[in-house]
Amino acid sequence: MNKNETSQTSGMPEEWQAEGKKKTKIVCLGDSITEGFGLGAEENYPVLLGRKLGGEYEIMNAGVTAHCVTDETAPDGRTIGLPYMRTEKYAAGIAAQGDIYVLLLGTNDAQDGLFDDGSAVDPYFNVFGQREHFIRHYERILSDVRRANPAARIYVCRPVPILNCIWPKHQQKYLDVILDKLDEIGRRNPDVRMLDLFSAFRSKGDAWLKSVYQADGFHPGPEGAAFLAELVADRLAEDARG
């Protein structure tokens, strides 16, 4: 458990134990945008989400930087990309049997493995080249969540935009394809709830977007993470009101 998890997943307060109440457990599955790459320990969106929702909720940050949904092996036995489903944090997130799961994944599937100098494509990191497998692997994650807690509410997020990223392998044109696949997942799985972070961020305009991202043009900065947490919190509150 890292610092981000510790601050939001400590033991139940005495008053909760005395009243016999149980906190609602939210598990945030994701990549670096969830883990909080480039942010302080108290600036990632799961921590901010916990603050917004208050003491009735317990938040688990199961994000892992640089990992993708796709879980494919090349003919020579090497793994393509860094599959999220093979990580310890993913296993822990599923084992937590959350009441609510927020899935913010797919950004690292929108990469072609191009080296930073643009000289060549690394075939073992051309995850976008495996895009025909994306839906199947994403639905494996959904199946894992359902098995862990059949009653869990599941939110599938359309990821935030990719700007002028310093890593040329990450491109918005690839993310556009992944977004379409996420929309298809929503149509195929009527029990999941779609949360369109992409459109919410994009609607604020290019100048605002640039101002709330880190210099890499890929990760939201503190203000962007706060906006992300606000979007998730507002949707959860809206659904709770029913």
Side-chain angles (χ1 to χ4, degrees):
M1 181 178 291
N2 61 30
K3 284 191 214 173
N4 295 349
E5 294 169 5
T6 301
S7 64
Q8 295 297 328
T9 59
S10 55
M12 187 181 295
E14 289 183 7
E15 61 268 24
W16 282 86
Q17 296 178 23
E19 296 174 19
K21 294 181 180 179
K22 178 179 179 295
K23 291 189 178 185
T24 299
K25 183 181 295 182
I26 301 175
V27 179
C28 300
L29 303 180
D31 49 38
S32 56
I33 295 171
T34 296
E35 186 173 30
F37 178 91
L39 300 175
E42 302 299 312
E43 293 178 328
N44 64 71
Y45 103 78
V47 165
L48 300 177
L49 176 64
R51 290 179 185 163
K52 288 179 178 296
L53 294 177
E56 296 182 15
Y57 292 84
E58 176 183 340
I59 315 295
M60 179 179 183
N61 185 340
V64 187
T65 293
H67 282 65
C68 58
V69 170
T70 302
D71 185 1
E72 288 294 313
T73 303
D76 65 2
R78 291 180 62 181
T79 302
I80 307 240
L82 298 170
Y84 178 57
M85 284 185 280
R86 302 189 190 188
T87 66
E88 292 182 1
K89 277 194 175 182
Y90 174 73
I94 297 300
Q97 298 180 315
D99 302 296
I100 297 171
Y101 279 82
V102 181
L103 281 61
L104 178 46
L105 291 157
T107 303
N108 288 311
D109 294 84
Q111 62 173 303
D112 63 8
L114 188 69
F115 291 128
D116 290 350
D117 62 5
S119 60
V121 167
D122 179 350
Y124 299 103
F125 274 90
N126 183 8
V127 185
F128 186 69
Q130 303 293 318
R131 59 192 177 277
E132 69 271 20
H133 304 295
F134 179 84
I135 291 177
R136 175 166 58 88
H137 292 305
Y138 204 106
E139 290 183 334
R140 280 178 53 200
I141 295 173
L142 295 178
S143 294
D144 286 348
V145 170
R146 292 182 186 115
R147 280 193 295 270
N149 181 3
R153 286 197 332 228
I154 306 172
Y155 291 84
V156 169
C157 297
R158 301 177 88 237
V160 300
I162 296 173
L163 307 186
N164 186 20
C165 183
I166 62 172
W167 301 295
K169 63 185 178 182
H170 296 290
Q171 297 188 37
Q172 179 60 47
K173 67 180 181 180
Y174 300 146
L175 184 59
D176 289 340
V177 175
I178 298 301
L179 291 173
D180 288 342
K181 292 185 179 297
L182 288 167
D183 292 339
E184 177 64 18
I185 288 167
R187 290 189 289 270
R188 288 165 55 116
N189 297 271
D191 61 318
V192 307
R193 304 168 190 229
M194 300 299 294
L195 208 172
D196 191 0
L197 303 177
F198 179 87
S199 296
F201 270 70
R202 184 57 75 187
S203 70
K204 304 286 270 185
D206 291 342
W208 179 88
L209 270 176
K210 187 175 181 180
S211 73
V212 301
Y213 269 63
Q214 298 178 42
D216 58 23
F218 189 76
H219 296 96
E223 186 178 346
F227 182 57
L228 198 166
E230 179 182 335
L231 292 170
V232 176
D234 286 351
R235 177 60 183 278
L236 295 183
E238 177 185 343
D239 288 354
R241 289 192 297 268

